[in-house]
Amino acid sequence: MTPVDLCAVAHDAARDVGPAADRTGLDLELSLPPTPVAVPGSHESLRRLFVILLENAVRYTPPGGSIRLAVSPVQPGADSVSIEILDTGPGISAEDLPRVFDRFYRGSAAREVAPDGAGLGLSIAKTIVERHGGRLSVSTAASGRGCHVHVVLPQPC
Ligand SMILES: Nc1ncnc2c1ncn2[C@@H]1O[C@H](COP(=O)(O)OP(=O)(O)OP(=O)(O)O)[C@@H](O)[C@H]1O
Ligand SMILES: [Mg+2]
C-alpha cells in the first residue's frame, strides 16, 4: 500500500473506457478537485475498481446519456474520501438491489441489454474496496432514474 492519487486513477480509468463511451454517444465527465486526493492503496487495483464501475455505467446507460465520476476534495480533519459514479440509465430495480454484489448475479434487464456479461464486476469491485478498508454502495438516484455508486475510502494521506 503506497499513496495513490485518486485523481490520477480517475484519469487513467476514463481513458480506458472513453472509446466505449464515445461509441454510444455517452458524455463522460470527471469532476475532480484541483489538488491530489491521496489514499493508501494500489493504483492498479483502484484503477480496476473505477473501470468496473464506469464500464457498468457505459453498458447500461442508453445512447446519448451521461456519466459522471466525482472525487470529493479532502475535507480538513476528515478520515475518509468519497467517490461517486452517477449515470442517466435505468438504475437498479428494488428486486435486483440486494443481489448485485453476489457473484454471477445479473439483473433481468441487464441480461437483455448485454447478454455477454458475467455478473462478476460488482463482486470484484466490493473485494477491492474492502481490501482498501472502504465501503461500496449502490442505489437508484433520488430522481428515480440513474444508478448511483458510492465508494468511501479511509485515511487520506
Ligand atoms: N450502472 C448500472 N445501471 C444499471 N444496472 C446496473 C449498473 N451497474 C450494475 N448494474 C446491475 O448490477 C448487476 C451486476 O453488475 P456486475 O457488474 O456485477 O455484472 P454484469 O455487469 O452483469 O457483468 P460483468 O461481470 O460483465 O460486469 C448487473 O447485471 C445489472 O443488473
Ligand atoms: Mg459489470
Side-chain angles (χ1 to χ4, degrees), residues 23 27 35-36 40 64 67 97 113 118 137 140:
R23 275 196 294 277
D27 181 38
T35 50
I67 298 162
L97 214 44
V113 175
S137 60
T140 293

Side-chain angles (χ1 to χ4, degrees), residues 52 56 59-60 121:
I52 287 170
N56 278 348
R59 184 183 249 174
Y60 301 118

Side-chain angles (χ1 to χ4, degrees), residues 23-41:
R23 275 196 294 277
T24 30
L26 295 166
D27 181 38
L28 175 56
E29 180 202 347
L30 297 185
S31 177
L32 305 174
T35 50
V37 177
V39 299

Side-chain angles (χ1 to χ4, degrees), residues 56-57 59-60 87 91-92 100 105-107 110 117-123 147:
N56 278 348
R59 184 183 249 174
Y60 301 118
D87 64 50
I92 298 177
V100 289
Y105 183 81
R106 305 200 70 214
L120 286 172
L122 286 180
S123 72
C147 190

